[in-house]
Amino acid sequence: MSSSKKSSDGKSSEIEEAVASLTMPFNKILLTSSDGESFEIDEAVARKFQIIAHMIEDDCAGKAIPIDNVTGDILSKIIEYAKKHVVEPDEDEDEEAKKKLDSWDAKFVEKLDLETIFKIILAANYLNFEGLLGFASQTVADYIKDKTPEEVREIFNIENDFTPEEEEAIRKENAWTFNG
Amino acid sequence: MVLKFEEGWSSLQKGITEVIRIIEEEPEPAFKPQLGVNLYTTIYDMCTQKPDYSHQLYEKYLQVIEDYTIQTVLPSLREKHDEHMLIELVKRWNNHKILVTFLTNIFHYIDRYLVPRTNIPSLDEVGLTCFLDLVYSEMQSMATKAVVALIHKEREGEEIDRALVKNVLDVYVDNGMGTTEKYEEDFESFMLQDTASYYSRKASRWIEEDSCPDYMIKVEECLKRERERVTHYLHSSTEPKLVEKVQNQLLVMVAKNRLENEHSGCCALLRDDKKNDLSRMYSLYHPIPHRLERIADLFKKHITEEGNALIKQADDATTNQLLIELHNKYMVYVTECFQNHRFFHKVRVCSWVSIFSHNILLNDHSFL
């Protein structure tokens, strides 16, 4: 499917690959987003994305990898996060470093709108970047935990498929959660 | 955009066919990133959309591997024999591992979500078990025969392809899925049996042809070669079992014939002062306490006889001096040949007590 989308670009990506393997410094990987933006990153950073880690292990990574499912703007945010989290500090051993990283994480998501965070979750799931997937999901969970069902429906664009009677029954059952 | 199953699967099938072609035809299979990414993305889309095709794709994954194994791998193995078959077996196992690794990577989404949710075996497990069930189970007994034949060749002095044997035995170990069960049951037990017959035949011939010292040199050489065999291609856990088989045939079963041989056995060696041969005899029998004890008995018998003979022959004045000399002579044996082993220390003491008490009984009251 994706190959038909890229049929005109097929040749240029092959050339890009060939050039990359000749000119890339050791231990660098070139990622190219679906809209043609390229990012040169350290192998250690690229390995945070499990699908790339697998390719590297199987020796089939070459040096240039097309990331067909992610646009450049989202990929750049994900790479930014990955670079910061290449080495995760141990909570017990280095509390200071953990606090610093946590506050960086908080600032990182603060600047992002919900739409972008959704895209990041989908991309992190695709790339199999567990750390960011967990963090971004938690961010959204925290955001909606104090919202009413109506507000949550609006955020996720979910249609209300309960009848008024069903909804009343559920509200009664879970009354205790609404009185917090 | 929702992908229909037939559409999605058709493009996956094309890609997987290409992967198999690369594995089959290229000496050093290498996959372009675009191929893996395309396939991964298609599978990812088919698993994250509604309807979700994870179950069907899991079935397809298994089917692809089974079909490939049945239609391509098995026929190619069945048409080969002996060493050629072994070479093919190693190649096919390596190819299988490459295929399973590639496929588990592109189907990885299923391992992440469907497998834990529904408690089905992981992709890796079903992929590798396919080879075990379809290929290994059919080929293992022929492969064992072929390997045992190669080992026989090597024992008879011919050069064999050791790397090949090692690779074949690795297939057995790998297919034990974390245990050495397959290796032990399907190969080792047969190899050990064959080893016992081989050395039993050799022993029968050698005890007729060779003196005890020459025989022991041969045994030493055999044990050395068998230990080397382990380092070259057998699994390390085989060593004690292999050594035990060889020792049993070459040392234990023939112990009486060898040790008590009139012309060149233990007593003859003591008589002729053959310290090197006695040292070799000790080191060969040291791991076999039961037989080592027999040697100690023979040693004791020899000393006692010599001591008593001495007492009969010599006159009173020199007896004690000669006995002390005899004692010192055999002390050297205990330390040099028998490594101060407690069996032999015990012998020394007992035989001396018996000689001296015999002496005292006979004539030497003044010694007291």
Side-chain angles (χ1 to χ4, degrees):
Chain A
M1 293 307 297
S2 330
S3 49
S4 65
K5 197 166 66 185
K6 278 201 149 267
S7 59
S8 56
D9 293 328
K11 224 180 186 157
S12 66
S13 80
E14 248 186 77
I15 294 170
E16 193 171 71
E17 229 177 85
V19 170
S21 54
L22 290 171
T23 59
M24 290 282 282
F26 186 61
N27 275 352
K28 293 273 188 195
I29 308 271
L30 188 76
L31 301 182
T32 307
S33 68
S34 58
D35 49 358
E37 225 181 306
S38 288
F39 304 86
E40 186 182 294
I41 58 175
D42 285 340
E43 187 181 306
V45 176
R47 278 178 170 277
K48 299 294 281 182
F49 315 142
Q50 275 299 303
I51 62 167
I52 297 181
H54 285 155
M55 283 176 144
I56 296 174
E57 266 151 33
D58 301 338
D59 228 12
C60 75
K63 294 293 184 180
I65 300 175
I67 307 292
D68 288 346
N69 251 24
V70 186
T71 55
D73 56 341
I74 300 298
L75 188 56
S76 88
K77 285 257 161 281
I78 292 178
I79 289 173
E80 194 189 329
Y81 186 90
K83 280 184 175 157
K84 263 293 179 183
H85 283 257
V86 174
V87 181
E88 298 280 2
D90 191 323
E91 186 136 17
D92 303 322
E93 279 183 20
D94 200 346
E95 235 184 279
E96 186 66 45
K98 185 84 176 59
K99 278 212 193 95
K100 263 181 98 178
L101 196 56
D102 285 346
S103 99
W104 185 92
D105 286 353
K107 287 209 191 72
F108 176 76
V109 286
E110 225 173 54
K111 300 185 275 182
L112 305 173
D113 61 33
L114 211 51
E115 189 64 39
T116 308
I117 298 180
F118 287 162
K119 287 191 181 146
I120 287 177
I121 290 177
L122 290 174
N125 191 32
Y126 172 79
L127 294 168
N128 199 352
F129 184 1
E130 221 175 275
L132 180 55
L133 181 61
F135 175 66
S137 303
Q138 185 65 57
T139 305
V140 173
D142 290 340
Y143 183 74
I144 65 171
K145 72 176 180 229
D146 290 322
K147 300 260 185 302
T148 65
E150 291 79 22
E151 284 171 316
V152 175
R153 278 199 201 104
E154 213 181 293
I155 292 167
F156 287 110
N157 213 7
I158 302 170
E159 209 184 285
N160 185 354
D161 52 359
F162 290 128
T163 64
E165 292 79 23
E166 283 170 339
E167 193 166 326
E168 184 60 34
I170 294 171
R171 278 186 189 274
K172 269 219 181 93
E173 250 176 63
N174 294 306
W176 61 274
T177 68
F178 289 98
N179 295 333
Chain B
M1 192 200 68
V2 172
L3 208 52
K4 289 216 186 66
F5 184 77
E6 283 67 32
E7 227 182 307
W9 176 245
S10 139
S11 97
L12 285 175
Q13 200 157 44
K14 278 205 198 81
I16 292 173
T17 302
E18 175 62 12
V19 170
I20 290 177
R21 185 201 67 78
I22 294 172
I23 294 174
E24 286 280 304
E25 292 176 17
E26 290 179 22
E28 307 250 345
F31 309 105
K32 294 217 162 56
Q34 187 72 61
L35 180 59
V37 170
N38 283 353
L39 294 171
Y40 174 83
T41 306
T42 305
I43 294 169
Y44 175 87
D45 288 340
M46 287 171 82
C47 292
T48 51
Q49 69 179 22
K50 287 209 168 20
D52 155 18
Y53 292 124
S54 330
H55 267 112
Q56 293 93 319
L57 287 174
Y58 182 87
E59 300 295 322
K60 283 291 187 189
Y61 162 84
L62 184 53
Q63 195 186 341
V64 157
I65 297 178
E66 268 178 14
D67 288 347
Y68 169 67
T69 305
I70 293 170
Q71 290 159 13
T72 310
V73 177
L74 278 172
S76 84
L77 276 166
R78 284 173 185 149
E79 66 184 20
K80 299 195 169 61
H81 306 281
D82 309 313
E83 215 165 319
H84 298 285
M85 181 269 285
L86 295 178
I87 293 171
E88 188 70 14
L89 182 66
V90 171
K91 174 177 145 205
R92 289 294 169 186
W93 173 238
N94 285 336
N95 284 358
H96 192 88
K97 285 189 282 186
I98 294 172
L99 180 65
V100 170
T101 303
F102 187 90
L103 292 180
T104 54
N105 284 348
I106 61 172
F107 282 87
H108 191 63
Y109 198 79
I110 294 179
D111 254 343
R112 277 170 68 198
Y113 288 102
L114 186 68
V115 168
R117 225 179 256 159
T118 57
N119 234 337
I120 49 183
S122 74
L123 295 178
D124 207 45
E125 205 183 308
V126 299
L128 296 177
T129 306
C130 182
F131 188 92
L132 170 64
D133 290 341
L134 295 176
V135 181
Y136 174 87
S137 58
E138 184 178 313
M139 306 302 304
Q140 53 94 355
S141 97
M142 272 183 285
T144 297
K145 284 201 184 77
V147 173
V148 168
L150 285 174
I151 294 178
H152 183 91
K153 255 172 133 177
E154 198 181 48
R155 283 187 176 138
E156 290 293 289
E158 275 183 64
E159 241 184 77
I160 63 167
D161 186 347
R162 289 179 176 157
L164 173 63
V165 176
K166 177 150 199 351
N167 287 336
V168 172
L169 296 182
D170 282 344
V171 177
Y172 284 78
V173 175
D174 288 349
N175 274 276
M177 307 289 173
T179 71
T180 47
E181 214 179 83
K182 294 285 176 211
Y183 169 82
E184 283 171 22
E185 280 172 23
D186 299 331
F187 169 74
E188 197 190 54
S189 56
F190 293 99
M191 187 274 290
L192 290 175
Q193 229 172 45
D194 182 79
T195 302
S197 318
Y198 179 81
Y199 282 112
S200 163
R201 287 194 300 275
K202 292 291 179 187
S204 310
R205 220 182 71 206
W206 292 345
I207 58 175
E208 297 295 321
E209 296 171 354
D210 298 318
S211 69
C212 182
D214 288 342
Y215 179 84
M216 288 195 298
I217 290 172
K218 278 194 175 136
V219 175
E220 215 175 45
E221 185 63 31
C222 286
L223 285 169
K224 176 164 164 260
R225 292 234 186 89
E226 294 300 327
R227 288 200 168 93
E228 274 170 13
R229 182 159 291 117
V230 176
T231 64
H232 289 147
Y233 46 74
L234 300 174
H235 193 267
S236 57
S237 64
T238 302
E239 188 172 322
K241 302 175 209 175
L242 182 60
V243 166
E244 194 261 332
K245 283 283 181 217
V246 178
Q247 283 173 341
N248 197 43
Q249 294 302 325
L250 293 182
L251 296 172
V252 174
M253 304 288 276
V254 301
K256 196 168 157 74
N257 171 297
R258 295 286 82 189
L259 298 178
E260 301 180 28
N261 184 293
E262 221 181 274
H263 306 289
S264 58
C266 190
C267 294
L269 296 176
L270 285 164
R271 203 178 51 219
D272 300 335
D273 236 349
K274 302 276 191 195
K275 293 218 185 67
N276 282 339
D277 294 325
L278 283 166
S279 297
R280 182 171 295 114
M281 184 182 273
Y282 170 79
S283 77
L284 285 173
Y285 278 95
H286 176 250
I288 310 167
H290 194 61
R291 297 289 188 260
L292 191 67
E293 241 180 321
R294 183 74 193 115
I295 298 176
D297 285 343
L298 292 168
F299 183 53
K300 173 172 165 188
K301 187 164 154 254
H302 179 87
I303 299 176
T304 314
E305 277 172 10
E306 244 193 64
N308 289 337
L310 217 139
I311 292 168
K312 280 212 180 80
Q313 287 176 7
D315 58 62
D316 283 357
T318 53
T319 302
N320 292 331
Q321 183 56 37
L322 289 174
L323 282 177
I324 290 170
E325 272 171 28
L326 190 71
H327 172 271
N328 292 342
K329 173 176 161 195
Y330 284 112
M331 259 307 274
V332 172
Y333 277 86
V334 173
T335 52
E336 278 183 21
C337 302
F338 304 128
Q339 306 297 316
N340 272 318
H341 192 280
R342 65 179 202 286
F343 285 178
F344 295 85
H345 252 296
K346 201 174 74 176
V347 161
R348 195 178 55 80
V349 169
C350 286
S351 39
W352 245 263
V353 167
S354 102
I355 292 171
F356 277 118
S357 46
H358 189 84
N359 188 33
I360 290 160
L361 278 170
L362 275 186
N363 40 25
D364 196 353
H365 312 284
S366 66
F367 187 68
L368 282 169

